[in-house]
């Protein structure tokens, strides 16, 4: 079905839920509460979130978030990947606490201008607009951290990916840390063992690395991240042989990202064939040795990771199922609940 209006999309959305909800929900814990574990580092997973946390206090919450993401997506299809990335970058720095949304203040330098986020992470205004709509309906009830988690899910669904139930009840932090963002966020230039170590610190594992990397099936990368692979791979003065083997792709990437400083901020699709469609083509690309980022293609260097890549390249349903499970797992990293945190009136300000 080729949906060109919101009514058609909603019908497709309901059909998707009917088809897959039974199998997907069976992958998650039963009952209202999500039971996880704590890894002893102050991060890890929590057992204090509830799928139905706002059912009475803000019954329209999920529809408000869905509508807000849809409005933004109609104007800018890139926003889906941006909202998904916003959730990742929030959770990897001191847990899923909405800290990435905080503007710099006199008391702290926040995460937005950290090296991995500067001129890169976006979607703040979408979250703020959704928060404003929610405040009109349910004042000082829903945390910004929960809005980010729900918006990430809606972004995936809008682009054809899986639905998953989001455990709710997170509280917002009062502070943020530029230093922690610089330290904790994985870099596209890091080797797989370093990236995996950062996941493990949060109670995640190598499978989560492979599964969550699949988010690169949508979105774009800035040219400065990939130009070394196009023009001077490992100081050779030549392109990465893997990319050079696909002459048409290499030519397109060089056209998009010419070897001049002024191209650094230009954008190249992470999955050129379907940059706004959430599918398993990312893994097909890796099997063909044309993953765009170093951190993508390096998954093929590890036998366990490579076996997962092969499975997901052959079975899109398996990828969708595992992605949903890993998103819930990541979304429970280091959350604050109850009196440990606050409900911000505006997401960019702690008060």
């Amino acid at each position: 079905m080729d949906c060109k209006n919101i009514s058609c999309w909603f019908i497709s959305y309901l059909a998707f839920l009917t088809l897959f909800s039974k199998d997907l929900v069976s992958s998650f814990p039963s009952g209202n509460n999500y039971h996880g574990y704590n890894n002893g580092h102050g991060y890890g997973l929590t057992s204090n979130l509830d799928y139905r946390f706002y059912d009475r206090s803000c019954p329209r919450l999920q529809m408000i978030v869905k509508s807000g993401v849809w409005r933004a997506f109609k104007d800018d299809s890139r926003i889906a990947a941006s909202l998904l990335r916003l959730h990742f970058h929030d959770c990897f720095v001191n847990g899923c606490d909405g800290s990435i949304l905080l503007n710099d203040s006199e008391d702290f330098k926040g995460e937005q201008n950290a090296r991995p986020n500067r001129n890169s992470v976006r979607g703040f205004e979408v979250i703020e607009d959704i928060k404003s709509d929610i405040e009109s309906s349910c004042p000082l009830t829903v945390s910004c951290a929960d809005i980010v988690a729900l918006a990430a899910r809606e972004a995936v669904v809008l682009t054809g990916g899986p639905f998953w139930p989001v455990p709710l009840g997170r509280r917002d932090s009062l502070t943020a840390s530029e230093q922690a963002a610089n330290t904790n966020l994985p870099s596209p230039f890091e080797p797989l063992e370093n990236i995996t170590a950062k996941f493990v610190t949060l109670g995640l594992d190598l499978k989560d690395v492979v599964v969550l990397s699949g988010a690169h099936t949508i979105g774009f990368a800035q040219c400065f991240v990939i130009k070394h692979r196009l023009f001077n791979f490992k100081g050779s003065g030549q392109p990465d042989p893997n990319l050079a083997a696909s002459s048409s792709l290499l030519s397109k990437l060089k056209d998009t990202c010419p070897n001049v400083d002024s191209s650094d901020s230009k954008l190249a699709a992470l999955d050129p064939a379907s940059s706004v469609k959430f599918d398993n083509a990312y893994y097909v690309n890796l099997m063909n040795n044309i993953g765009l980022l170093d951190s993508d293609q390096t998954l093929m260097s590890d036998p366990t990771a490579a076996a997962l890549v092969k499975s997901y390249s052959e079975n899109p349903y398996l990828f969708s199922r595992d992605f949903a499970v890993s998103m819930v797992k990541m979304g429970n990293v280091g959350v604050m609940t109850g009196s440990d945190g606050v409900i911000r009136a505006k997401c960019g300000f702690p008060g």
Side-chain angles (χ1 to χ4, degrees):
M1 182 182 296
D2 184 15
C3 288
K4 299 184 183 302
N5 58 64
I6 192 167
S7 297
C8 174
W9 167 81
F10 190 65
I11 292 170
S12 298
Y13 177 72
L14 290 179
F16 175 87
L17 291 185
T18 301
L19 184 61
F20 292 118
S21 60
K22 181 178 178 181
D23 287 337
L24 277 177
V25 171
S26 69
S27 300
F28 300 99
S30 60
N32 288 340
N33 292 95
Y34 180 86
H35 297 286
Y37 68 96
N38 190 289
N39 68 357
H41 295 286
Y43 299 124
L45 310 182
T46 180
S47 61
N48 295 323
L49 300 184
D50 187 332
Y51 295 118
R52 305 181 65 181
F53 188 84
Y54 298 108
D55 279 9
R56 292 187 178 183
S57 60
C58 194
R60 295 185 59 245
L61 168 63
Q62 307 234 8
M63 187 55 68
I64 293 171
V65 175
K66 186 191 308 292
S67 177
V69 173
W70 173 255
R71 287 197 308 268
F73 183 75
K74 284 197 302 181
D75 294 334
D76 174 15
S77 60
R78 278 183 59 210
I79 201 64
S82 298
L83 291 172
L84 182 53
R85 187 166 182 248
L86 190 66
H87 187 34
F88 290 160
H89 282 227
D90 184 34
C91 292
F92 268 77
V93 183
N94 299 329
C96 308
D97 59 1
S99 58
I100 195 171
L101 305 173
L102 287 171
N103 301 320
D104 289 355
S105 73
E106 294 180 358
D107 298 322
F108 60 82
K109 293 186 69 175
E111 298 162 27
Q112 295 179 18
N113 288 310
R115 288 189 302 273
N117 295 333
R118 190 183 307 131
N119 300 319
S120 174
V121 171
R122 56 198 294 268
F124 303 108
E125 71 290 343
V126 176
I127 300 299
E128 204 68 74
D129 287 347
I130 294 172
K131 175 65 169 173
S132 178
D133 290 343
I134 292 171
E135 286 299 302
S136 298
S137 181
C138 320
L140 293 177
T141 301
V142 180
S143 69
C144 298
D146 277 344
I147 296 171
V148 171
L150 286 168
R153 193 267 310 279
E154 294 305 327
V156 170
V157 172
L158 267 177
T159 51
F163 175 94
W164 62 91
V166 178
L168 299 168
R170 298 167 186 80
R171 289 295 185 259
D172 298 323
S173 67
L174 291 170
T175 188
S177 172
E178 180 183 62
Q179 180 180 358
N182 283 330
T183 302
N184 296 358
L185 288 168
S187 161
F189 305 111
E190 286 187 282
L192 180 58
E193 55 267 30
N194 288 20
I195 294 172
T196 304
K198 291 182 177 182
F199 274 65
V200 169
T201 298
L202 303 180
L204 306 174
D205 56 29
L206 177 61
K207 181 177 181 180
D208 296 311
V209 175
V210 179
V211 174
L212 295 176
S213 293
H216 289 169
T217 185
I218 57 174
F220 294 78
Q222 294 188 64
C223 286
F224 81 89
V225 178
I226 64 168
K227 285 199 314 190
H228 68 286
R229 299 190 68 198
L230 308 181
F231 301 103
N232 189 24
F233 185 63
K234 295 184 177 180
S236 67
Q238 300 295 322
D240 183 331
N242 285 326
L243 293 180
S246 175
S247 58
S248 60
L249 175 61
L250 181 61
S251 177
K252 289 178 181 177
L253 289 172
K254 285 185 172 182
D255 288 342
T256 301
C257 302
N259 195 22
V260 292
D261 291 344
S262 59
S263 73
D264 282 358
S265 60
K266 290 186 176 181
L267 300 174
L270 289 164
D271 175 8
S274 56
S275 62
V276 293
K277 181 181 179 182
F278 198 97
D279 55 23
N280 69 330
Y282 166 83
Y283 298 104
V284 176
N285 292 341
L286 297 189
M287 292 296 294
N288 292 325
N289 294 317
I290 55 172
L292 195 64
L293 305 181
D294 289 318
S295 56
D296 292 331
Q297 197 58 52
T298 193
L299 295 176
M300 299 302 293
S301 67
D302 178 270
T304 301
L308 286 166
V309 169
K310 184 176 186 295
S311 294
Y312 297 142
S313 73
E314 297 171 345
N315 189 335
Y317 174 73
L318 178 64
F319 166 52
S320 290
R321 188 198 68 183
D322 287 357
F323 187 84
V325 172
S326 285
M327 284 296 292
V328 172
K329 190 176 175 184
M330 184 195 73
N332 283 271
V333 167
V335 302
M336 296 185 295
T337 58
S339 60
D340 291 338
V342 300
I343 302 292
R344 298 186 211 135
K346 292 187 176 182
C347 293
F349 301 93

